[in-house]
Amino acid sequence: MSAESLHASATELLTEWKPEAGPDHSLREAILAFLGSAPRGCLREHAPGHITASAIVLSHDRREILLTLHPRVGRWIQLGGHCEPEDETVQDAALREAVEESGIPDLVLTPGLYGAQAHPITCSLGVPTRHLDLLFEIVAPPNAMPVRSAESDDLRWWPVGGLPVGTDVLIRSAP
């Protein structure tokens, strides 16, 4: 891993992502501008903000989504987290986080960027920062049974059309 390989993967993903005009397009441009000024912006140490990797973990039939009740945030959110030294790309970070937090082996990452979000947060740095979240679709094998990790207060499958109140999870319609 290097800060350079993570930065290059984030820049490539965002450059290839072509959202329609509107909020997604504006966010894409803002994150690309951030990366242009922050060579180490994919690492947690970059206190003004940093790229994070999230996993929209769907059941094999894409009818359910796996959410974690995050102890620090206090809400149901998608799985994911910080890029780590062993991650070569942001995609690698998302898949690693999904496996660690779900306990499900054999998850399959769909190529390309699923979406992006920005969240003000006080993360493990202990100071207010921003998570510039790159999201990836990851599909679980049939009959996948999640196992809650120490990073979660709860972990469960939710119907895509019936997410808990207060959830800010990006769900894209099937093409």
Side-chain angles (χ1 to χ4, degrees):
M1 172 319 273
S2 68
E4 294 82 18
S5 70
L6 286 164
H7 190 279
S9 73
T11 301
E12 181 180 351
L13 285 161
L14 287 158
T15 301
E16 291 175 355
W17 185 43
K18 302 295 183 201
E20 294 181 21
D24 283 343
H25 181 76
S26 295
L27 183 57
R28 172 188 175 269
E29 295 303 313
I31 297 174
L32 280 169
F34 163 80
L35 286 167
S37 67
R40 299 183 66 76
C42 291
L43 300 177
R44 174 188 339 225
E45 69 192 36
H46 193 267
H50 40 269
I51 298 294
T52 51
S54 279
I56 303 298
V57 178
L58 299 170
S59 60
H60 75 285
D61 60 6
R62 290 178 165 77
R63 292 183 181 181
E64 295 180 308
I65 183 170
L66 187 61
L67 299 179
T68 180
L69 183 56
H70 195 281
R72 186 177 306 236
V73 178
R75 292 184 299 142
W76 290 97
I77 62 173
Q78 69 262 2
L79 283 60
H82 293 101
C83 297
E84 300 292 348
E86 66 269 17
D87 300 320
E88 190 69 26
T89 66
V90 181
Q91 300 94 310
D92 293 343
L95 188 57
R96 176 188 49 75
E97 287 283 347
V99 171
E100 285 176 4
E101 293 181 9
S102 72
I104 301 171
D106 303 322
L107 295 173
V108 176
L109 184 130
T110 303
L113 191 60
Y114 181 83
Q117 294 178 315
H119 306 283
I121 190 167
T122 299
C123 68
S124 56
L125 291 174
V127 296
T129 188
R130 291 221 184 283
H131 279 177
L132 304 171
D133 209 7
L134 301 186
L135 289 85
F136 300 89
E137 179 184 81
I138 296 179
V139 181
N143 303 312
M145 299 295 294
V147 178
R148 185 180 63 82
S149 74
E151 296 181 46
S152 177
D153 284 342
D154 199 355
L155 181 70
R156 71 174 78 151
W157 292 107
W158 293 86
V160 168
L163 300 182
V165 175
T167 303
D168 182 22
V169 175
L170 181 64
I171 302 291
R172 298 240 183 259
S173 315

